[in-house]
Amino acid sequence: MQIQTAHYDLVTSWQGGMASRTLCQSFSADNAPPALQSHVIDSDEPVSLGGEGLAPDPQELMLAAFNACMMAAFILEARAEGLALTHLEIHTDGHLPKGIPASGDRPAEDASGRLVYVIHVSGSGTVYQFEGVHQRVIDSSLNRWLLAQNMLIEGDLILS
């Protein structure tokens, strides 16, 4: 069964300097009662941007969410195909703009950012099966789709 709507309740609090802490309080899907959570996510800016560099910056967190979403989709699709995984790793190299143009206009395509990821996978599948899994991940990863609305995203799969 596919979730149609999801609701997230998060609170982010300033921790001094450029640091923040987010408490993920609850998650619910399709109007079900919320499941209470107590996940904590810290964020800080690098020293070069005025922070202390004690935690990932917001863009690193966004890219971590991208990788985690792609990984979860890959695992689900591999399971649906009946494939056993022995290794799965996603390496993402992100080139992101560090600001929005003053005019608010969308930046030129070459200035809007670029993600290049490589999936390293091994398991019981063939190259053809894992390529099919990768294509279904491209079609089903919500975070990949959201990020692709504003930047070029290129992906590759390496069977090891």
Side-chain angles (χ1 to χ4, degrees), residues 80-97:
E81 184 81 12
L83 304 177
L85 299 174
T86 55
H87 176 79
L88 181 59
E89 179 178 283
I90 301 174
H91 176 207
T92 296
D93 183 32
H95 298 269
L96 306 175

Side-chain angles (χ1 to χ4, degrees), residues 79-142:
R79 285 180 183 166
E81 184 81 12
L83 304 177
L85 299 174
T86 55
H87 176 79
L88 181 59
E89 179 178 283
I90 301 174
H91 176 207
T92 296
D93 183 32
H95 298 269
L96 306 175
K98 289 305 280 183
I100 298 172
S103 67
D105 291 336
R106 188 176 173 133
E109 186 173 317
D110 61 339
S112 63
R114 182 174 180 208
L115 296 183
V116 177
Y117 68 88
V118 178
I119 300 172
H120 297 266
V121 62
S122 59
S124 65
T126 65
V127 170
Y128 177 78
Q129 287 174 306
F130 280 122
E131 286 174 346
V133 167
H134 183 215
Q135 186 58 55
R136 288 190 301 281
V137 168
I138 290 170
D139 296 339
S140 67
S141 170
L142 179 59

